[in-house]
Amino acid sequence: MTRPYTKNKFALYLVIAPMVLLALYLVIRFDYTLRDLLRARMGGLAAQADTIVDVLRLLLLAMLAYLVVRALNTLIFGAFRFRRGYDAPSLVRSIFSIVAFTALFFLIFTYTFPGVNLGALFTTSAIFGVILGLALQDTLGNFFSGISLQADRPFQVGDVITVGDQKHTGVIEEISWRAIKIRTFQNHVVVINNSTAAKEPLEVCPRDNLNARLVFFNTLYTDSPAKAIHVVREAVREADNVSQRITPIVRIRNLGDNGVDYEVKYWLDDYAKYNDTDALVRQRIWYAFRRAGLNFAYPTRTLLLERRPKIGEGDGSAVTERLSAVDIFAPLSAEETRMLAEAATSHVFAPGETVIRAGDEGSSMFVLHKGRVSVQVSDRGRPRTVATLSEGAFFGEMALFTGEPRTANIVAIEETEVLEIGHEAMKQVFETNPDLVESLSHIIAERMQGLAAGSSVATSETAQTAGILSSIKRFFGLK
């Protein structure tokens, strides 16, 4: 529609411009002849012949000035579009045309009627100007408000804008001297006066800017937050119109009544399509949840009979198998390992959480059931990772058997499940089989010898075993 309309205007310009030039040439060429003809024909009004010819010349020159201003407008703002890549605001183009034409018209008027005092003419029409100003109060208010908006340049054609308390939202199609025209996402056209836009709060989403959106969802409390965050982030980042320059952010908003509430924040390449993109993101989340076995939360009412859960319920065989594979529990019988598994407590840690801290008192040890952890020590006041432990590894055994303080920080690298073996559980095993104390002390001593192999301090295994045996008996109250 725009291109044919522009061609039609250009064709009309090419037709009118030669006609005006020809008419002006004829008036100037036959000026005296035209004056004499009018004097002869007008009789008693012959004195007005010169005025009529001058007015005709003024009109033709004014039309020529208008055509020149239009040509200058096209050339100047066409170059602006070529250099900047977008059209100048229509309000700026209109102001340029008005100012340029007014200046040319005054010059032409002064040339055509040198004896007329324009200052006196405007002074005598002051009352008329006041009346006209009052009549055009709203129009002038819109005009100057438009100038103010263009001076601040808070938006331009193509931006998405929300105006006023009624929340008119859409894409700006035109900014004129009177109003802003926006096309809403229901394909309606809303025209907002410049004076209204200057007074109301504006929310602008520039078209060349990465604008963010938020979509909300939830999961059941039984679903892993780390898993949900990873699944949603990977699903959203591949959606159409989601910018690849910034990775989407998924975070927990609230621990709600029915489940864990999340929000996903992502950035759009084209904000004008945010409705479609929001819908696509919600669709991707649904399919990702189905594949990952995650569940959306919904209002429910559940009656729970309180009882103390035990780690052995449901996955008791897996826990028993895990403990039986730990070197330090090798001397235990199958029954003793099962007793220890039933008394163990499971803990789940999020990525980056600290499982134990150096210097803390403790009387338990941990077996890594799922995930990975890093062992960190302090190096000049900053943590330094000295080892990474995977499934099946254990740590904190000296606190369990001797009550010594923790010697390092253990931090979860990913979502991690550990099995905690407490003092009371181990004491029951020792009371059932007191001979285990010597076997375990020997294994612990061998482990400590291996860890200290590179140390300059050497201690005989026999002496170390004896020291550990004494510490275990004293800590557990054994004879």
Side-chain angles (χ1 to χ4, degrees):
M1 294 295 291
T2 304
R3 186 169 296 177
Y5 178 68
T6 303
K7 289 183 177 179
N8 292 337
K9 289 200 301 183
F10 182 69
L12 183 63
Y13 184 90
L14 292 179
V15 172
I16 293 177
M19 294 176 61
V20 172
L21 286 172
L22 178 61
L24 183 61
Y25 170 76
L26 293 174
V27 170
I28 295 175
R29 177 70 178 79
F30 298 100
D31 179 82
Y32 294 106
T33 303
L34 185 60
R35 292 174 189 270
D36 292 340
L37 180 61
L38 288 175
R39 290 192 189 99
R41 294 293 182 90
M42 295 179 65
L45 299 177
Q48 304 297 326
D50 292 340
T51 303
I52 293 174
V53 174
D54 290 339
V55 170
L56 180 61
R57 180 186 295 180
L58 176 65
L59 292 176
L60 291 174
L61 287 172
M63 293 176 64
L64 181 62
Y66 174 77
L67 294 174
V68 170
V69 169
R70 290 296 301 270
L72 288 175
N73 189 301
T74 302
L75 290 175
I76 293 173
F77 293 103
F80 178 89
R81 176 180 174 80
F82 178 77
R83 295 185 61 182
R84 297 294 182 89
Y86 58 89
D87 288 327
S90 59
L91 178 62
V92 175
R93 302 183 65 166
S94 299
I95 292 174
F96 170 80
S97 298
I98 292 172
V99 172
F101 178 76
T102 302
L104 286 176
F105 182 81
F106 277 131
L107 290 175
I108 295 170
F109 188 91
T110 303
Y111 170 76
T112 306
F113 297 99
V116 177
N117 188 350
L118 290 176
L121 179 63
F122 283 112
T123 301
T124 56
S125 61
I127 297 177
F128 175 75
V130 171
I131 296 173
L132 185 64
L134 291 174
L136 298 178
Q137 183 176 4
D138 292 338
T139 301
L140 293 175
N142 290 326
F143 177 75
F144 287 109
S145 296
I147 295 176
S148 175
L149 289 174
Q150 288 303 320
D152 293 338
R153 292 187 62 81
F155 48 75
Q156 59 183 350
V157 174
D159 292 348
V160 177
I161 185 173
T162 301
V163 183
D165 296 333
Q166 296 183 355
K167 300 295 183 182
H168 294 299
T169 302
V171 181
I172 298 176
E173 287 194 342
E174 183 182 350
I175 306 171
S176 67
W177 60 270
R178 188 185 70 84
I180 303 167
K181 183 169 73 174
I182 65 175
R183 184 170 296 276
T184 69
F185 297 110
Q186 291 76 36
N187 205 31
H188 301 161
V189 174
V190 177
V191 179
I192 301 172
N193 293 334
N194 288 334
S195 57
T196 301
K199 298 175 184 177
E200 297 286 347
L202 303 177
E203 181 181 349
V204 181
C205 299
R207 61 179 178 177
D208 297 325
N209 185 53
L210 284 179
N211 301 292
R213 291 288 297 172
L214 291 174
V215 165
F216 306 108
F217 64 97
N218 58 21
T219 66
L220 297 176
Y221 275 109
T222 53
D223 291 331
S224 163
K227 181 179 180 180
I229 289 172
H230 174 74
V231 167
V232 171
R233 182 172 58 240
E234 296 304 313
V236 171
R237 71 192 306 175
E238 300 298 330
D240 293 338
N241 198 37
V242 174
S243 176
Q244 300 297 313
R245 287 182 281 175
I246 304 179
T247 302
I249 298 174
V250 185
R251 52 199 175 198
I252 296 176
R253 294 178 59 240
N254 188 31
L255 301 178
D257 294 336
N258 306 305
V260 182
D261 298 327
Y262 295 84
E263 67 181 15
V264 53
K265 181 180 182 180
Y266 54 91
W267 287 259
L268 302 183
D269 292 326
D270 184 1
Y271 192 78
K273 301 178 180 177
Y274 75 83
N275 280 319
D276 295 335
T277 308
D278 287 355
L280 178 61
V281 165
R282 295 185 184 99
Q283 181 191 85
R284 293 293 179 87
I285 292 175
W286 189 91
Y287 280 104
F289 269 36
R290 287 293 297 269
R291 292 192 298 271
L294 298 171
N295 299 281
F296 292 102
Y298 50 88
T300 58
R301 185 178 297 276
T302 305
L303 180 63
L304 296 177
L305 299 178
E306 184 178 1
R307 66 187 184 91
R308 186 173 181 179
K310 293 185 178 180
I311 190 66
E313 294 182 8
D315 61 346
S317 59
V319 175
T320 303
E321 184 178 350
R322 173 66 72 195
L323 295 183
S324 63
V326 176
D327 296 342
I328 202 169
F329 296 137
L332 274 64
S333 65
E335 180 62 23
E336 291 166 344
T337 304
R338 186 188 62 78
M339 290 174 54
L340 210 59
E342 291 179 352
T345 305
S346 173
H347 304 287
V348 179
F349 292 87
E353 275 197 288
T354 300
V355 182
I356 60 174
R357 298 182 184 276
D360 287 353
E361 299 291 335
S363 59
S364 62
M365 66 171 288
F366 299 87
V367 177
L368 196 55
H369 193 38
K370 296 177 183 178
R372 293 183 303 143
V373 297
S374 63
V375 182
Q376 299 178 355
V377 297
S378 178
D379 185 5
R380 298 178 182 178
R382 303 182 64 181
R384 178 170 62 89
T385 300
V386 296
T388 299
L389 305 180
S390 302
E391 294 179 1
F394 62 93
F395 52 89
E397 68 278 5
M398 294 307 295
L400 171 63
F401 292 110
T402 66
E404 294 182 7
R406 311 294 186 184
T407 58
N409 293 331
I410 306 295
V411 180
I413 298 176
E414 56 193 44
E415 186 177 73
T416 301
E417 181 182 359
V418 296
L419 305 174
E420 183 178 13
I421 311 298
H423 180 270
E424 292 299 324
M426 202 68 219
K427 185 174 182 179
Q428 291 180 5
V429 174
F430 284 151
E431 290 175 351
T432 304
N433 189 354
D435 296 335
L436 286 174
V437 178
E438 292 189 15
S439 300
L440 290 175
S441 61
H442 181 71
I443 293 174
I444 295 173
E446 286 183 346
R447 174 178 169 82
M448 294 180 65
Q449 284 288 331
L451 293 175
S455 175
S456 59
V457 180
T459 305
S460 67
E461 183 178 338
T462 303
Q464 198 165 33
T465 302
I468 294 173
L469 178 61
S470 176
S471 297
I472 293 175
K473 289 183 175 181
R474 183 171 58 254
F475 187 59
F476 284 91
L478 304 175
K479 297 181 179 180

